[in-house]
């Protein structure tokens, strides 16, 4: 990664320029058997489309707050980087009533909480291959319906300031620059030694540690992540086989 990268979006841009075809996020859901592998290029395309949705359709501006009521999932990772691309604050498990936009998963409790947002509300079905809801929840736009038609390239209307707030998680606020700096600083203790490092993370996304192992750390070091939801349902032998087949170099549980 480039030393001049100051925001998470910068890190993604550098990864795209360096090796667009390499895997970046491989996602497993051990409750459903789902597996999705996204190269840097594919992931960046989802980020660009989602950032265009935020900026052009939802009128999100730098400094606006986006409440993300979502589990550890590849689509959550996309939203985190899309917010960074626009300059919006990704408020993980934040208060929808205080947010400009609320983004919810399909769980009834998350949808109910998201209805406290007076601004736009987006729902993610979190179905395999980014599938749609059979029937969108009342009061929500279906992400899988809205995002495909968005542009494949994203250019922010205003430059993103790396010193402005970019992330809130577990009650702590980080600027974009702090996200990048902390991800780089903590990489050695996570075992992320640079390109080729591949971390398997079963941690939720509601703490910095979960976000770092499950997204920011690999992105900051040129590595990749095997992001596992419901990993507790996977037996020891099956985990060993996954580590071998995915060429995992370090595990974070």
């Amino acid at each position: 990664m480039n030393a001049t990268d100051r925001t998470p979006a910068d890190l993604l841009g550098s990864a795209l320029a360096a090796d667009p075809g390499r895997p970046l996020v491989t996602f497993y859901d051990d409750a459903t058997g789902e597996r999705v592998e996204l190269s840097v290029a594919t992931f960046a395309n989802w980020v660009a489309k989602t950032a265009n949705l935020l900026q052009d359709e939802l009128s999100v501006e730098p400094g606006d707050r986006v409440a993300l009521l979502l589990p550890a999932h590849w689509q959550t990772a996309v939203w985190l980087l899309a917010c960074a691309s626009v300059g919006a604050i990704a408020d993980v498990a934040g208060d929808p009533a205080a947010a400009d936009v609320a983004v919810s998963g399909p769980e009834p409790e998350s949808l109910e909480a998201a209805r406290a947002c007076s601004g736009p509300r987006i729902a993610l079905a979190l179905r395999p291959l980014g599938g749609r809801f059979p029937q969108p929840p009342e009061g929500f736009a279906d992400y899988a319906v809205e995002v495909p038609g968005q542009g494949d390239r994203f250019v922010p209307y205003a430059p993103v300031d790396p010193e402005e707030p970019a992330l809130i998680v577990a009650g702590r606020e980080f600027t974009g620059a702090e996200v990048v700096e902390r991800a780089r600083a903590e990489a050695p203790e996570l075992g992320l030694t640079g390109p080729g490092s591949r971390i398997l993370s079963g941690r939720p996304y509601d703490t910095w540690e979960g976000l770092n192992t499950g997204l920011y750390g690999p992105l900051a070091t040129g590595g990749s992540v095997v992001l596992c939801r419901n990993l507790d349902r996977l037996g020891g032998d099956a985990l060993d086989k996954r580590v071998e087949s995915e060429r995992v170099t370090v595990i974070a549980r």
Side-chain angles (χ1 to χ4, degrees), residues 54-137:
L54 280 167
Q55 180 173 262
D56 294 337
E57 303 296 331
L58 305 179
S59 300
V60 170
E61 300 178 347
D64 284 354
R65 183 174 299 199
V66 180
L68 299 179
L69 309 184
L70 299 167
H73 192 278
W74 69 265
Q75 290 188 346
T76 310
V78 166
W79 274 90
L80 287 162
L81 266 293
C83 288
S85 299
V86 174
I89 304 168
D91 191 355
V92 179
D95 179 7
D100 298 283
V101 175
V103 184
S104 174
E107 299 82 7
E109 59 273 19
S110 294
L111 291 166
E112 186 58 34
R115 288 190 170 93
C117 179
S118 60
R121 298 188 292 267
I122 307 294
L124 280 64
L126 302 182
R127 301 180 73 191
L129 303 177
R132 304 179 176 187
F133 283 96
Q135 180 67 39

